[in-house]
Amino acid sequence: MNADTDMNREELGNIMTVRTRPAALAVGRSNGHWDDDGQSRIEPHAGLEFDSAEEAQEFYNSYATQVGFKVRIGQLYRSRVDGSVISRRFVCSKEGFQTNSRTGCPAFIRVQKADSGKWAIANIKKEHNHEFETSGEICPPKIQRKSFPTPRSSSGGASRTGIRTHDDDSPSGVVDMKRLKKEEMDGMIGPIGEPYKGLEFNSANEAYKFYYAYASNMGFRIRIGHQHPSRVGCGAYMRIQRQESGRWVVDRLQKEHSHEVDARADNSRTVTVASTGYREEGSSVLENLDLVETNGGLSLVKRVRESNINGDWYSVLLEYFQSRQAEDTGFFYGVEMREGKGMNMFWADARSRFSCTQFGDAIVFDTTYRRGSYLVPFASFLGVNHHRQPVLLGCALVADESEASFTWIFQAWVRAMSGHRPVSIIADQDRPIQNAIAQVFPATHHRFSTWQILAKEQENLGALLSMDAEFKYEYETCIFQSQTASEFDSAWNMLMNKYNLRENVWFKEMYRMRKSWIPLHIKGTFFAGIPVDGGLKSYFSTLLTAQTPLNEFVARYEKALEQRREEEKKEDFNSFNLQAVLHTKDPIEEQCRRLYTITMFKVFQKELLECYSYVGIKINVEGAISRYLVQKCGNGDERNTVAFNASNLNISCSCKMFEFEGVLCRHALKVFQIMNIRELPSRYILHRWSKNAKYGILRDADSGGSGQDFKALMLWSLREEAQNYIEAGAASLERYKLAFEIMQEGRRNLCWQN
């Protein structure tokens, strides 16, 4: 987007999906660093300013072309304050000695970002230690798009992991990278233009070949859809989307690398194509790649599944699992084997399995490792206990980010939890995870992770949200203030029309998936009160992360478990031995104090106290059902509708707090006050929030289910209580004697039972 171009809202909306001019080129030429043919007019010198690092790179590329050498991207330096890039090095392609063609050339420039936002050459070395090439041998690095032959259609069968698209060059709808022959890619290794947002292609294959050739020339390899411990968190990538016209356009691009590139496009290689090993390897890589659709775009994945888990992890963890199982007969673990090799791993101890019977209704599949580089792809299943603390429900190491991997992990979790499936799950929105959840948890409401929604909003709406305050207000009002489906649809359609976003691919996809992220649709499902604009507190905190080395993993894992479970014991003790202060004489408050844990009673008490500042007006009566409009005194904007059935005391509110959180809202409590209800029906005090939540399985045992499952649950429950009993009884000799007598008496009483 040109810096000196004024755009109205319509143009700003279109910039997310249509071709735009490259910013660096447009701004750079306006500063006089290039002539009309894109050639450098002046020599680089310290203090020379640019509007961006990209502009500085283009200038140095152009200068290098005239002189007779090539440029390679060197190191980048980030701010210790906010992590932003503040300095870049651009070096001669013959810098270093990593390949035979390099000479250790010292020539380079380093540009640094000033407080003004401008970039200036801070250091420069012009002298080279090798002969220059004639300028005719080097293709000027102008931004351009090279036309590539469109691959012929293949009549072969579709790979299971292939992308299903409407691409014209593939009747089957599968973009199969096997069709990219080695000869085609060999011809691509040579000078080529740089990618930029808005760059268009006739097909996805053409886009892939372009980026493959660009990567070869620049000295890096294309990322293959998943991370590996050897990676350094490099964020460089190119993403394409299919347009209504059938063409593909670059809609997301990051060219900056966090590491030095290898300058594979040395002139000797370009002319002779002598790197046979590299060509063969490149062909082999292509033979095993598919382009897979992710939220309307394409990513590269390996067709042959390989594990991202270092081999040493399998032996260490298996040894740990076996030792744990010897101590804890309820310990469950599983390892997926594929062609004799270990893949995914899952485990859960007896405490986690027992916790699932109490708190497995709303779960979080935590894959924080996916946000950056990692040593181990560690994921965890979390729930919310009766103190609103995170509780562990199982752990996994994810071999790769394929649908098959996530499906196996979810199935392993179901087996460990005796067939239990949650009411709701919070997990990332990537297509492999969505598909795996739909397959294993078909009746479970999948809600997208908040961090990922925010990241994708910034990625797709950053310009609009930051530059147009009116759009930001209307967008957030539509998302967070809509009370009904029709109200949301009306506000959404207004946004699409007003800002010309009707054909925007990202908006189309997000509307299709609205039930997984719009608060209106989320609040009708039980999520244990995990905020719609937030998430669950990390279970392992900083003790165990994706960067934890193998030699510390088990010890840190055990320490985190010990800390979290000790915190839960402390809250259990407080709930049974301490009492919260009452603030009213309402018998409902005393009833809830007696049943709820301290944490949950405070949540309820807040709603009860708030209801005194609300007024309820009966607006409709149909038989036994009365409807009330409940609004805050002096604030007509905050109003909700409550339906009350006098025959069975059923009550429901349009705010959906009880459905979402399992605690009655202030609006429902106001109507109970109006109707002089002095005791809440038991169904409105969820057992999972009560002091006795851990004994819920015994209360529910008569409601049906497998006898074998109930026996296992009772064993886990008794073991847990026995462990606490033993710890208390072994505190002193006197306690031991008392505990032993009580245990003997209890055993005699059990013997008298039938």
Side-chain angles (χ1 to χ4, degrees), residues 43 71 80 163 169 173 191-192 212 217 263 310 328 354 358 421 440 456 521 535 594 599 612 662 721 754:
E43 296 234 345
V71 174
R80 293 183 179 179
I163 173 177
D169 64 356
I192 192 154
Y212 181 93
N217 279 342
N310 187 293
D328 177 2
F354 179 57
Q358 312 149 20
R421 286 173 172 80
V440 183
K456 290 187 180 295
H521 296 290
R594 189 173 66 253
T599 300
Y612 285 94
E721 193 58 31
N754 291 329

Side-chain angles (χ1 to χ4, degrees), residues 29 33-42 62-63 65-66 140 142:
R29 287 181 175 169
H33 296 149
W34 286 274
D35 60 22
D36 293 338
D37 294 327
Q39 301 300 310
S40 173
R41 289 178 174 172
I42 57 178
S62 182
Y63 166 76
T65 299
Q66 289 185 346
K142 297 179 183 177

Side-chain angles (χ1 to χ4, degrees), residues 663-721:
V663 176
L664 280 176
C665 62
R666 59 196 66 178
H667 318 109
L669 291 172
K670 168 53 65 176
V671 173
F672 273 146
Q673 280 186 353
I674 293 172
M675 300 305 297
N676 199 31
I677 303 298
R678 312 294 287 175
E679 182 176 324
L680 295 184
S682 60
R683 59 183 172 276
Y684 293 119
I685 303 178
L686 297 190
H687 191 74
R688 62 134 26 247
W689 295 132
S690 72
K691 299 176 183 180
N692 295 317
K694 291 186 176 181
Y695 311 106
I697 58 161
L698 305 181
R699 185 198 64 171
D700 299 334
D702 295 331
S703 62
S706 166
Q708 184 177 357
D709 285 346
F710 279 125
K711 183 173 182 180
L713 297 180
M714 287 187 288
L715 284 171
W716 295 335
S717 178
L718 289 172
R719 280 198 197 101
E720 179 69 17
E721 193 58 31

Side-chain angles (χ1 to χ4, degrees), residues 57 70-74 91-93 95 98-99 101-102 188-195 210-223 232 234 236 255 257-267 269-270 278:
Q57 180 188 355
K70 291 183 179 180
V71 174
R72 181 161 54 86
I73 299 174
V91 303
C92 174
S93 64
E95 185 263 356
Q98 289 93 330
T99 63
S101 61
R102 293 195 189 178
M188 295 295 299
I189 300 177
I192 192 154
E194 293 196 6
F210 168 84
Y211 198 52
Y212 181 93
Y214 168 73
S216 299
N217 279 342
M218 293 300 294
F220 65 94
R221 295 182 183 177
I222 291 176
R223 174 177 173 173
V232 293
C234 181
K255 292 196 287 186
H257 296 259
S258 59
H259 55 91
E260 291 199 18
V261 290
D262 292 335
R264 294 191 176 277
D266 289 342
N267 195 54
R269 178 169 296 175
T270 302
Y278 172 68

Side-chain angles (χ1 to χ4, degrees), residues 514-716:
R514 60 192 179 280
K515 292 184 179 179
S516 292
W517 68 284
I518 298 296
L520 163 70
H521 296 290
I522 291 172
K523 286 186 175 180
T525 302
F526 183 75
F527 279 97
I530 300 173
V532 294
D533 58 349
L536 188 61
K537 182 180 178 182
S538 171
Y539 185 87
F540 292 98
S541 188
T542 57
L543 277 176
L544 194 68
T545 70
Q547 301 297 334
T548 302
L550 175 59
N551 62 342
E552 299 178 15
F553 185 87
V554 171
R556 290 192 179 196
Y557 170 79
E558 293 277 7
K559 185 175 181 180
L561 284 185
E562 182 182 355
Q563 285 187 2
R564 285 297 188 191
R565 289 172 177 174
E566 191 59 38
E567 290 170 3
E568 183 176 348
K569 285 182 181 179
K570 181 179 178 181
E571 289 300 319
D572 283 340
F573 178 87
N574 290 341
S575 290
F576 278 108
N577 295 281
L578 302 178
Q579 278 197 333
V581 177
L582 297 176
H583 292 295
T584 73
K585 294 183 179 180
D586 192 328
I588 285 178
E589 187 181 19
E590 170 59 35
Q591 174 194 8
C592 291
R593 182 176 70 168
R594 189 173 66 253
L595 297 174
Y596 280 135
T597 62
I598 289 180
T599 300
M600 293 312 302
F601 173 70
K602 289 179 179 179
V603 174
F604 170 82
Q605 189 179 51
K606 179 182 177 181
E607 295 301 309
L608 180 65
L609 295 176
E610 285 289 340
C611 86
Y612 285 94
S613 60
Y614 282 71
V615 61
I617 305 170
K618 186 182 291 187
I619 57 175
N620 179 264
V621 178
E622 293 180 7
I625 300 176
S626 301
R627 285 183 172 81
Y628 291 80
L629 181 65
V630 180
Q631 62 185 49
K632 191 166 187 177
C633 299
N635 184 1
D637 294 334
E638 185 184 342
R639 55 178 64 185
N640 285 273
T641 303
V642 177
F644 173 71
N645 190 326
S647 65
N648 55 17
L649 302 187
N650 280 348
I651 197 165
S652 63
C653 179
S654 59
C655 78
K656 302 292 185 183
M657 179 175 173
F658 182 76
E659 288 81 357
F660 179 75
E661 193 166 345
V663 176
L664 280 176
C665 62
R666 59 196 66 178
H667 318 109
L669 291 172
K670 168 53 65 176
V671 173
F672 273 146
Q673 280 186 353
I674 293 172
M675 300 305 297
N676 199 31
I677 303 298
R678 312 294 287 175
E679 182 176 324
L680 295 184
S682 60
R683 59 183 172 276
Y684 293 119
I685 303 178
L686 297 190
H687 191 74
R688 62 134 26 247
W689 295 132
S690 72
K691 299 176 183 180
N692 295 317
K694 291 186 176 181
Y695 311 106
I697 58 161
L698 305 181
R699 185 198 64 171
D700 299 334
D702 295 331
S703 62
S706 166
Q708 184 177 357
D709 285 346
F710 279 125
K711 183 173 182 180
L713 297 180
M714 287 187 288
L715 284 171
W716 295 335

